[in-house]
Amino acid sequence: FEISLTEMGSGANNIKDIRMSDIQGNILSTSHPHSGSGLDALTDSFWFNVNEIELMLDSSAQQCPRILAHKPVILKTVRDWYNGYYIGRFRGKYNPWSVSSFIESLCNLLNKTTSNKADDVKRIVNSAAKAYWVTTGSTSLIEAQIDRHRAQFIRLAKRLLRNYELTKVKRRDRRRSRLRESSHVSLVSTRLSLTSFDNDQFSEPGMLTLCLYAGYLTRHLSTSVCIPNHDVYQVWLQLFARAVLGTELADSSTNSERGALLSELWQGRTDLLRTLATSSHGVLSNHKEYKEKDYANHVANTIMAVSRFGVLTHPKQKSVKVSHVIPIRENHAGVGRCDYTMRLYSTSNQPNQFGVIIEFKLIPDAKRDDVDFHRNLSEQALEQITTENYDSCLLGCLERMDIGMAIGNNAVYTVSRLYKRSNIDEP
């Protein structure tokens, strides 16, 4: 029989028939060791610990012997994707549904192939690693808060995503220098108290508490929370994209070709950029009160949102990394500096060698339908980049694109200029 997905709090909305002869039956029949006794043993029995994960892999090897030969790679993938929860005094807890689903999928994929090469197995392991947790329920409760408090949610989600991404970079650097890796860092402070959402006033502690109890965040010590792992990170990517882009464009952005926006910019085109810029104020309210810096900030948020889905990642890069998109300045509209500047991959696949400068000009509501005014305003913005020497922060770039963008309430117009070196040795 079918059980429909419901909101958080339901204990029986993900029923799965598991026979002991199946792969998952073999996995879950493993004897699970827990820590200590009494309350500690009870607390540690919730979700999986690292010892249980190793026993599950050993047990699953009865169905798929090649797992033992590649156990270190598999353990690392499981840790990155499904570890990171804090329950009681125990850190490093693993999501049971996601882990068991991953191992089952991995066994099925490995049993369909005969290659035992490390690269082939690693590719199979990566393909089995997916966001399984999001399929266990609906995100409509959080989406309702996005619709009600969009601007505040964007700021909050942006902080959480950036902190998680920075934590991953720090962990990688620590491994390289052989320093001890920390499981979590303090990210966003919150008092753990439930807050009613029946009113229109946004409460960041209340929103964080809601996300904590719904499983979208985990606790760090007693005063902060964070995104626990890559499984939940994928959910936050979707929520952030929906808040910034709107549901329809967010869905299409996740399915865009690798480097779609970057390839357009290389060719001096801004069609997709205009579409993304329009989406920023297509879903946000109070457009008439926006100033130049507000639009600049929303476009910056949009660019960073879609970059997380690979549209600004070089097509030859194997993985999507936000570090491939380096914003030098954000939201400096109206303060005498260039509004938004990025360093991206060049067409020759050189990191930080393709510079993009965007200068914004505000279209008054009275001129919203005047296309000639829009074009002249965009040309003024483009000229300002040259006269004010805004390109000085992009010295060393092999390629550069200047964009003048006139933007206002439901109106956007761009003109651009593309620079390419005829000789790499030129300044």
Side-chain angles (χ1 to χ4, degrees), residues 42 54-55 87 126 163 166 185 219 265 280 283-284 345 356-357 370 374 417:
L42 176 63
E54 293 202 36
L55 284 174
I87 299 178
N126 290 336
N163 280 327
L166 287 173
V185 295
R219 183 169 61 90
L265 296 176
S280 295
V283 297
L284 294 167
Y345 270 75
V356 178
I357 301 176
D370 191 339
H374 300 172
R417 186 180 293 124

Side-chain angles (χ1 to χ4, degrees), residues 148-369:
R148 187 176 296 177
H149 309 293
R150 190 177 305 276
Q152 296 93 328
F153 182 86
I154 288 174
R155 287 195 294 269
L156 177 60
K158 189 176 179 180
R159 288 163 57 198
L160 288 166
L161 288 168
R162 280 186 170 179
N163 280 327
Y164 176 81
E165 291 154 1
L166 287 173
T167 303
K168 298 294 287 184
V169 172
K170 289 179 181 178
R171 289 175 182 175
R172 184 174 65 250
D173 292 343
R174 283 171 178 160
R175 285 197 295 270
R176 286 174 178 171
S177 59
R178 298 185 179 181
L179 294 176
R180 185 176 182 273
E181 179 182 337
S182 175
S183 297
H184 293 276
V185 295
S186 183
L187 299 176
V188 182
S189 295
T190 174
R191 60 178 184 276
L192 301 182
S193 59
L194 287 175
T195 302
S196 172
F197 288 101
D198 294 334
N199 54 62
D200 293 329
Q201 185 175 0
F202 178 79
S203 166
E204 182 174 297
M207 186 68 189
L208 290 170
T209 303
L210 173 66
C211 292
L212 176 66
Y213 289 134
Y216 295 88
L217 297 171
T218 193
R219 183 169 61 90
H220 172 63
L221 302 178
S222 60
T223 59
S224 62
V225 292
C226 63
I227 297 173
N229 51 45
H230 209 63
D231 190 13
V232 182
Y233 172 72
Q234 298 299 315
V235 182
W236 276 97
L237 284 180
Q238 294 284 348
L239 292 172
F240 181 59
R242 184 191 182 282
V244 175
L245 305 174
T247 303
E248 183 176 349
L249 191 55
D251 292 340
S252 64
S253 295
T254 59
N255 298 317
S256 296
E257 292 183 5
R258 177 69 59 85
L261 178 56
L262 181 61
S263 297
E264 276 203 5
L265 296 176
W266 284 343
Q267 300 168 35
R269 296 165 52 201
T270 58
D271 298 343
L272 182 54
L273 179 63
R274 284 199 305 273
T275 300
L276 295 171
T278 304
S279 73
S280 295
H281 55 87
V283 297
L284 294 167
S285 59
N286 301 321
H287 315 316
K288 294 182 179 180
E289 299 178 6
Y290 285 172
K291 297 180 180 179
E292 191 174 291
K293 63 180 182 179
D294 297 316
Y295 284 114
N297 191 44
H298 292 321
V299 173
N301 281 332
T302 303
I303 292 173
M304 293 308 296
V306 298
S307 71
R308 290 180 165 94
F309 297 105
V311 297
L312 281 171
T313 300
H314 195 283
K316 293 184 179 180
Q317 298 300 314
K318 295 181 179 180
S319 60
V320 175
K321 297 181 180 179
V322 181
S323 59
H324 291 171
V325 183
I326 304 179
I328 299 174
R329 293 173 179 168
E330 280 188 59
N331 198 17
H332 283 170
V335 296
R337 289 187 285 178
C338 55
D339 297 339
Y340 192 75
T341 310
M342 296 183 295
R343 282 182 178 266
L344 307 170
Y345 270 75
S346 67
T347 52
S348 57
N349 199 16
Q350 298 296 315
N352 309 327
Q353 293 299 303
F354 177 54
V356 178
I357 301 176
I358 306 177
E359 180 65 26
F360 297 92
K361 293 295 181 183
L362 181 63
I363 299 175
D365 281 344
K367 296 288 188 178
R368 187 173 60 184
D369 299 323

